[in-house]
Amino acid sequence: MQLLLADQLGPHFELEEKLLLPIVDNQFAKRNYHRQKAHLIRYSQLARARDNNVEVIRLDSYRDLKDFPGLTSMVAGSSRSFDALADSLGLIKLSNPGFCSNKNDWDAYLAKAGKRLRLEDFYRMQRSRLGLLMETGEPVGGKWNFDEENRLPPPKPGLGLPLPYRPEEDELDARVRSELDALEKSGKAKFIGVDGPRIFPGDRNQALAALADFITNRLDLFGPYEDAMDSRDWTMAHSMLSVPMNLGLLSPLEVVKAAVSAYETGAARLASVEGFLRQIIGWRDYVWQLYWHFGENYENLNELAATSEIPIGWQDLSAKEIEANCLASTLRDVGERAWSHHIPRLMILGNTALQRGFDPKAVNDWFIDAFADGTPWVMPANVIGMSLYADGGKMSTKPYAAGGAYINKMSNYCGSCKFNPSIRVGEAACPFTAGYWNFLAKNSERLRGNHRMSQPMAGLRRLTDLEQLLEQEKKRESL
Ligand SMILES: Cc1cc2nc3c(=O)[nH]c(=O)nc-3n(C[C@H](O)[C@H](O)[C@H](O)COP(=O)(O)OP(=O)(O)OC[C@H]3O[C@@H](n4cnc5c(N)ncnc54)[C@H](O)[C@@H]3O)c2cc1C
Ligand code: SF4
């Protein structure tokens, strides 16, 4: 009998005939999960348990599985702790079908890459190997990447797309809701964020409906507006499919094949389909492979010696005392839906945490708890590496710090903000613009050897009001 974990709920994970689905009652006791994340996990498990070949057991802890006879295997690679569990139970570890590459593929990549790890090389290798958007060994359209057609700011009137797919809640949602209410009331769990309605698919049929909706209504505009933020539109043309993919309800290969076939039938432009493919067979697999490659210690790296506590308005997702419009709106979005798209995660939340020196491990864990798609494997490369540069450059060649000018260019947040993105000192000083220079000044020694930072550092030296700016930022209590 195969052990079936909560992120392995789709048919591609069904590698043996009989499946054992453990539900751990105190799963939500240890950390403050977003209420909607906890709801989705529990809903999806119970929905999967409706199938005849699935047996459910309720446990106090995964360790209690040792008393369960007949368990022989599980899919490996969900997280280090589950891998250790498989070892302690003596289970056969099956290869993980939730990704588009395996250990052999990664080793083949490493053999070519040597010490210079680059997403672009990994992505090209994946595309050639999987034969996606390839024609006689060459990329379709003659290029691997269409970045210059993408990255547009949000259009003034908005994208005008229909609302994204949303499942209809059913009696199982009501049951889960009362289970979670009871847990909270008894003090056995404490949740953050607001409760429902559930916006993410929680079973296979719902996941397929969400995929079809994305392919038909949003994929074509995915590429051009991939990096744009619009306060009136929380999804833009993003897919929101990380959630069902990370629960294992959709296989990434079926998702990208659907996208490629939309290109082939003329339903979506090449720049969008290529961009989307890159995110999944490229980035998603890359960060998963890096989770195993970098190992456990990576999560404790803190190259920039950042030790500030995460503010209360983040911890409870209330945005309390936060005046920066872009940041407050993003935190409120996460509070309302346990989700935001990639650019608010990286360029607003990650950028703030980097500039203000939040403790990297705490930020890593906050993202896991607050986001519906948050998992232990996805966060280290995205947070410790890409967002916070806490790994000293293993993942990105320079810190992703940006001032208000970037946010102003790629969003409409600044128009209704009390701050001004082009002002760095004074009452109207934008905390991202001032924060950017403050960050460079604070870390100038640590970043000295990084040639990609030499231009920004030269800019820093030219600032005539640096002293005032540093004094102002020292006194800043909230953003
Ligand atoms: C600070 C930070 C935190 C993040 N937290 C998560 C997380 O909790 N869970 C998660 O799955 N992704 C995470 N990401 C990556 C990315 O932001 C999300 O995958 C994406 O926003 C999910 O929305 P979507 O499905 O609409 O993605 P789309 O924009 O539609 O992209 C398609 C798919 O590509 C994959 N993808 C794209 N970029 C990445 C990436 N950098 N890492 C991994 N997969 C990627 C996702 O599976 C995503 O569904 C994080 C990135 C950052 C910078
Ligand atoms: S002015 Fe600064 S703080 Fe305000 S929305 Fe723009 S970038 Fe954010």
Side-chain angles (χ1 to χ4, degrees):
M1 186 186 276
Q2 178 192 336
L3 180 64
L4 195 67
L5 298 171
D7 58 356
Q8 303 176 348
L9 300 175
H12 52 298
F13 280 98
E14 203 167 315
L15 302 176
E16 289 196 9
E17 214 178 301
K18 288 224 157 264
L19 306 166
L20 181 74
L21 178 69
I23 295 188
V24 172
D25 279 325
N26 69 3
Q27 180 182 11
F28 307 124
K30 290 188 193 135
R31 310 185 37 162
N32 296 349
Y33 277 162
H34 197 297
R35 168 75 190 227
Q36 291 178 46
K37 179 186 179 113
H39 184 115
L40 184 67
I41 294 174
R42 193 48 55 88
Y43 177 96
S44 312
Q45 286 181 307
L46 292 173
R48 186 69 171 91
R50 289 169 176 152
D51 293 346
N52 288 337
N53 62 338
V54 179
E55 186 182 335
V56 172
I57 39 164
R58 297 199 83 122
L59 303 170
D60 286 334
S61 149
Y62 284 107
R63 278 191 301 273
D64 299 342
L65 281 168
K66 68 180 180 338
D67 304 325
F68 202 86
L71 211 49
T72 52
S73 64
M74 69 169 261
V75 167
S78 292
S79 74
R80 271 183 271 281
S81 55
F82 282 125
D83 238 34
L85 175 79
D87 291 340
S88 73
L89 296 172
L91 302 183
I92 300 166
K93 284 193 262 181
L94 307 167
S95 174
N96 195 318
F99 295 88
C100 306
S101 58
N102 59 31
K103 178 81 169 72
N104 292 341
D105 302 322
W106 179 252
D107 287 345
Y109 162 70
L110 281 185
K112 278 202 179 148
K115 283 196 175 146
R116 191 165 159 267
L117 302 182
R118 271 194 355 140
L119 174 271
E120 187 63 33
D121 301 333
F122 176 74
Y123 165 65
R124 290 184 188 188
M125 194 199 79
Q126 287 273 83
R127 238 174 102 181
S128 305
R129 193 176 58 75
L130 296 164
L132 291 165
L133 284 186
M134 297 296 291
E135 225 166 30
T136 55
E138 294 299 318
V140 168
K143 293 195 292 188
W144 291 100
N145 147 354
F146 293 84
D147 275 357
E148 76 281 7
E149 292 170 41
N150 294 345
R151 314 221 160 120
L152 297 180
K156 280 231 159 66
L159 276 189
L161 292 171
L163 289 173
Y165 165 84
R166 171 177 289 197
E168 259 179 49
E169 287 210 356
D170 55 24
E171 355 44 278
L172 187 52
D173 284 288
R175 197 175 126 201
V176 170
R177 187 156 283 123
S178 58
E179 240 189 69
L180 296 183
D181 281 345
L183 274 181
E184 202 163 29
K185 217 168 170 190
S186 67
K188 288 191 184 137
K190 188 164 177 268
F191 299 112
I192 53 173
V194 300
D195 178 17
R198 181 166 60 84
I199 59 171
F200 294 106
D203 69 20
R204 173 75 179 159
N205 287 337
Q206 294 168 9
L208 289 172
L211 171 60
D213 176 78
F214 169 68
I215 299 288
T216 310
N217 295 323
R218 324 176 79 73
L219 172 62
D220 184 46
L221 284 184
F222 174 84
Y225 297 106
E226 208 177 331
D227 287 2
M229 299 175 278
D230 187 329
S231 57
R232 301 160 297 178
D233 182 349
W234 56 278
T235 53
M236 301 299 283
H238 290 272
S239 70
M240 294 186 290
L241 294 176
S242 54
V243 182
M245 277 192 282
N246 293 359
L247 284 170
L249 289 170
L250 289 176
S251 110
L253 266 184
E254 76 181 324
V255 171
V256 290
K257 282 184 180 163
V260 170
S261 103
Y263 165 68
E264 287 165 352
T265 58
R269 69 191 78 181
L270 181 56
S272 287
V273 176
E274 186 285 314
F276 187 67
L277 189 61
R278 166 183 298 267
Q279 302 307 315
I280 296 184
I281 65 169
W283 279 111
R284 185 172 186 273
D285 265 58
Y286 191 59
V287 307
W288 180 64
Q289 296 285 4
L290 288 175
Y291 170 75
W292 297 104
H293 178 74
F294 285 150
E296 198 164 357
N297 245 346
Y298 185 80
E299 284 156 49
N300 299 317
L301 296 179
N302 193 353
E303 172 77 12
L304 302 180
T307 53
S308 299
E309 237 181 70
I310 297 185
I312 296 292
W314 286 56
Q315 285 178 33
D316 63 6
L317 298 175
S318 66
K320 198 160 53 195
E321 290 176 13
I322 295 174
E323 293 179 300
N325 189 32
C326 53
L327 179 59
S329 306
T330 302
L331 284 168
R332 279 197 293 267
D333 278 351
V334 180
E336 272 169 41
R337 303 183 194 89
W339 190 89
S340 72
H341 75 70
H342 184 65
I343 302 304
R345 295 187 204 205
L346 180 64
M347 301 311 291
I348 296 190
L349 299 171
N351 191 19
T352 307
L354 172 70
Q355 290 186 1
R356 303 292 157 185
F358 295 177
D359 175 73
K361 178 76 171 77
V363 177
N364 189 81
D365 292 352
W366 177 82
F367 270 105
I368 295 179
D369 297 345
F371 279 78
D373 54 358
T375 64
W377 61 262
V378 83
M379 237 40 109
N382 274 305
V383 173
I384 305 287
M386 201 187 317
S387 302
L388 302 183
Y389 200 73
D391 64 357
K394 285 193 165 74
M395 174 81 195
S396 325
T397 48
K398 70 181 182 97
Y400 263 95
Y406 173 87
I407 296 171
N408 192 28
K409 180 172 155 222
M410 296 310 294
S411 79
N412 62 351
Y413 285 126
C414 302
S416 47
C417 182
K418 71 174 267 195
F419 302 115
N420 182 330
S422 51
I423 296 182
R424 57 177 178 261
V425 175
E427 252 188 38
C430 164
F432 283 87
T433 304
Y436 173 75
W437 296 115
N438 184 56
F439 167 79
L440 291 188
K442 250 178 36 190
N443 292 290
S444 57
E445 274 308 306
R446 291 189 182 95
L447 298 172
R448 186 189 285 276
N450 185 328
H451 72 277
R452 292 204 62 204
M453 294 305 288
S454 49
Q455 225 179 341
M457 288 303 179
L460 179 72
R461 285 190 292 274
R462 282 196 298 272
L463 292 188
T464 49
D465 48 9
L466 183 60
E467 230 170 89
Q468 273 166 282
L469 183 148
L470 296 179
E471 204 44 45
Q472 162 188 290
E473 293 311 299
K474 211 191 288 172
K475 290 188 195 135
R476 195 183 285 284
E477 281 172 2
S478 63
L479 296 184

